[in-house]
Amino acid sequence: MQIIVDSREQNLLFVDSKRINKKRILINNRYPQHEFILKKLEEGDYNIPELLDKIVVERKSSNDLYGSIVKGHIRFSDELLRSRLQNKRVYIFVECT
């Protein structure tokens, strides 16, 4: 399975390091059965080619979500609205420790 990872994502989920090969594929030893493609996504942090025009997958830490809602609320709202106008479903995964 191919998984697209936004090139601006700081702490990569699923991937040990941000080493990439010439095809912009992340080197991944933890999940060798998947191909992680580093690419700028207009919305979201992760996606798969088959659902790129249907869904947006956003990953947030609890602090990041708080900041998006309280401080960066206009930018976050704009991103949600843009996705909605394109008839995309938005999935937000919140990581809490």
Side-chain angles (χ1 to χ4, degrees), residues 21-68:
N21 66 17
K22 291 180 183 179
K23 294 182 182 179
R24 309 265 313 150
I25 298 174
L26 291 159
I27 308 301
N28 174 34
N29 295 327
R30 286 173 49 192
Y31 301 96
Q33 69 275 26
H34 300 303
E35 190 174 72
F36 294 87
I37 301 165
L38 196 60
K39 176 181 176 182
K40 182 181 177 208
L41 293 171
E42 294 305 317
E43 299 96 18
D45 300 317
Y46 296 87
N47 216 318
I48 61 174
E50 297 83 4
L51 297 176
L52 204 50
D53 61 341
K54 294 180 175 54
I55 69 168
V56 172
V57 179
E58 187 73 39
R59 175 179 161 228
K60 300 265 184 212
S61 68
S62 55
N63 288 339
D64 191 18
L65 180 63
Y66 174 79
S68 294

Side-chain angles (χ1 to χ4, degrees), residues 71-88:
K71 295 177 185 173
H73 126 347
I74 293 173
R75 194 181 97 219
F76 189 58
S77 295
D78 287 347
E79 184 176 342
L80 295 176
L81 179 62
R82 205 171 39 250
S83 299
R84 188 172 178 193
L85 290 173
Q86 296 175 26
N87 292 319
K88 293 181 180 180

Side-chain angles (χ1 to χ4, degrees), residues 5 11-19 26-31 36 46:
V5 180
N11 298 316
L12 301 173
L13 187 65
F14 308 117
V15 182
D16 296 327
S17 68
K18 208 167 182 176
R19 296 178 315 158
L26 291 159
I27 308 301
N28 174 34
N29 295 327
R30 286 173 49 192
Y31 301 96
F36 294 87
Y46 296 87

